Amino acid sequence: MQNELIKFMSKYVDITKELEVALIESSFIKQFLKGTILLKEGQISNECFFIFNGCIRSFYFEDGEEITTALYTEEQTVTPPTYGKNVPSKLYYECLEDIIVTVGTPDLENEMYAKHPQLETLSRIVGNRIIANYQEELFDFKHSTNEQRYLRLQETRPDLFQRVPLNIIASYLGMKPESLSRIRKRLHLKTKKI
Amino acid sequence: MQNELIKFMSKYVDITKELEVALIESSFIKQFLKGTILLKEGQISNECFFIFNGCIRSFYFEDGEEITTALYTEEQTVTPPTYGKNVPSKLYYECLEDIIVTVGTPDLENEMYAKHPQLETLSRIVGNRIIANYQEELFDFKHSTNEQRYLRLQETRPDLFQRVPLNIIASYLGMKPESLSRIRKRLHLKTKKI
DNA sequence: AATTACCCTTGACTTAAGTTAAGAAAACAC
DNA sequence: GTGTTTTCTTAACTTAAGTCAAGGGTAATT
C-alpha cells in the first residue's frame, strides 16, 4: 500500500532508500467508512490526507445549500486550506466512499523535514506543481462555458461520473443540476444526430 | 528597496540577519518599461519575479483574441506555470506599467537553498499559502455570478480599476467588456436610487 | 487641427443559465 | 414486496450573458 505513496513521490524527485524506509515506518494508514465526516465546519484542521483508495469531497453551506468545492480521488492529496493554521474550517470534508488514506499532521511533517531535508525539497517541488495546476485550472475555468467545463471534466476525470451523483458534480462545476441535465441532453442529441 | 522583499518574507517566517544579508547581496533588481514583453508564447521560462513596483499581466491568444489570465501588482510574485520546466510557454507576460522587480532563476534559487536551508522552509510555507489562496479563489469564482466577481475584485483589489483598462479587467474576470459595462451601469443605478 | 487608434458604452437580438414546480427513475429501508 | 427518500429530468418562465453593430469619448500621433 505504501508503495503507492512512494510511486507518487518518485514522479517528482528521486527517493533514497533511507527516505523510503523512513516514510513507510512513519506513515499512519487509516480507513474510514462512506459517510464519515473527516472535518466539520468550525473545527481546527490538524490532518491532511493522501488517498490510496476512495473518494472525498469538500463542501460548505450557503443559504442552507451544500456547495461542493472539491472532489478528491486516488493518488491525490487533501489539504484543507486551514490545515496547520489555528483557525476554524469553513469547509466540511466527507467520505463519498469507503476510503484508505495516510494521515499527516504538522508535527509529524516538521519532524520528518528535520530528519530528512530532501523531503522538504520534495514538498516544495510538489507544492510548485500543485500551484501551477491550480493556476491552469482557474484560468481555464474563468474562460470557458458550462458546457466546456463539463466536457473537460469528462476528459480529465471520467471516473467521477461513475462514482459521484450528478447533482454533486453539477455543484462542483459551479452550476445547477438542471443546467447539467440540459447540457447532457443537448450533447446526447448532437452525438445521436451524427 | 530590498527591504520590501524582506518585509514580504517576514510575514511568513523569521528571517535571520545572515539570511537577510545573503538575500540582499544576491538579489538582481531590474527595471522594465511599460509595454515590455517579459515572456513570449513559445519561449522557455527561466525567470520569476517579485514586484516592487508596477503592474504585469499574463495573457494568451484564442481565436485571435487576447485572454488575460492574471494581473500582478506590488508585493506579488510572478511565476509562469512553465518556470524552470523545459517546455514552451503558452502565456505572454507584459508590463502594463514601468516596473521594478527582483528576478529569480532556478540556478540562483537552488544555490540559495543549498546555502540557506531556512530559505527552502520559507519557500515551502509561502507555497502552501499560495495554494490555499488559489483554492479559495477557484472555489469562490466557481460559485459566483459575474456581478459578484466584479464586486469582489473591487473589494480585494480596488487599485486595479485605477490602473488597468476595463476591457482587460473584463477579460480577467472571464466576461466580455459589454457585460462588465452593463454590470457597472446596473450597480450605479442601484446606488443612486438609494 | 485633423487623423487615427483605442476604450467604453448602448441597443437589439440570440442563447443559455437560474428559478420554480412537478413528475420519473433509481436506490434504500423496512 | 411496499413505501420512502434521493437523484435525475422536464417544462415554463425570468434574468443575464454573448453577439453584432454602431456611436461617442479621449488620448496619442502626425
Side-chain angles (χ1 to χ4, degrees), chain A residues 146-147 174-176 178-179 182-183 186:
Chain A
N146 279 347
E147 184 174 314
M175 63 179 92
K176 301 291 164 186
E178 293 88 337
S179 292
R182 277 191 293 241
I183 287 170
R186 271 206 305 269

Side-chain angles (χ1 to χ4, degrees), chain B residues 5-180:
Chain B
L5 182 60
I6 309 294
K7 210 179 79 188
F8 169 80
M9 290 182 164
S10 303
K11 286 182 199 165
Y12 301 102
V13 289
D14 289 334
I15 308 275
T16 62
K17 204 70 200 167
E18 176 211 358
L19 180 56
E20 190 177 326
V21 171
L23 278 171
I24 289 175
E25 281 178 358
S26 70
S27 69
F28 291 108
I29 295 192
K30 287 199 190 177
Q31 294 186 247
F32 297 98
L33 293 179
K34 175 177 177 173
T36 306
I37 305 290
L38 299 170
L39 181 67
K40 278 197 175 71
E41 183 186 354
Q43 287 182 337
I44 303 297
S45 162
N46 280 314
E47 292 182 328
C48 64
F49 308 92
F50 175 84
I51 304 181
F52 290 123
N53 215 288
C55 181
I56 298 174
R57 78 157 173 150
S58 57
F59 64 95
Y60 64 95
F61 281 97
E62 194 168 78
D63 307 329
E65 192 187 3
E66 290 182 6
I67 311 279
T68 295
T69 58
L71 294 169
Y72 302 94
T73 51
E74 285 76 16
E75 307 224 351
Q76 291 191 319
T77 55
V78 179
T79 309
T82 56
Y83 168 71
K85 299 179 190 173
N86 226 353
V87 297
S89 174
K90 287 175 194 163
L91 300 179
Y92 290 78
Y93 284 77
E94 174 197 18
C95 304
L96 290 186
E97 304 170 353
D98 296 352
I99 62 167
I100 306 174
V101 293
T102 51
V103 181
T105 65
D107 286 349
L108 181 63
E109 264 194 82
N110 290 331
E111 194 188 314
M112 292 291 285
Y113 292 144
K115 278 192 206 158
H116 307 280
Q118 330 164 42
L119 194 62
E120 181 139 43
T121 303
L122 168 68
S123 187
R124 179 177 59 77
I125 291 172
V126 171
N128 287 339
R129 174 70 63 103
I130 292 175
I131 290 172
N133 287 346
Y134 268 116
Q135 273 194 25
E136 204 179 350
E137 202 179 331
L138 180 62
F139 302 163
D140 279 352
F141 192 91
K142 277 188 179 180
H143 299 101
S144 48
T145 62
N146 279 348
E147 183 174 315
Q148 291 170 323
R149 288 165 191 155
Y150 166 73
L151 289 170
R152 187 178 311 121
L153 191 65
Q154 262 200 333
E155 270 183 32
T156 55
R157 305 183 65 185
D159 58 305
L160 289 184
F161 294 89
Q162 309 304 319
R163 57 204 292 191
V164 179
L166 285 176
N167 58 349
I168 290 181
I169 290 181
S171 176
Y172 174 59
L173 287 171
M175 63 178 92
K176 301 292 164 187
E178 293 91 333
S179 292
L180 180 55

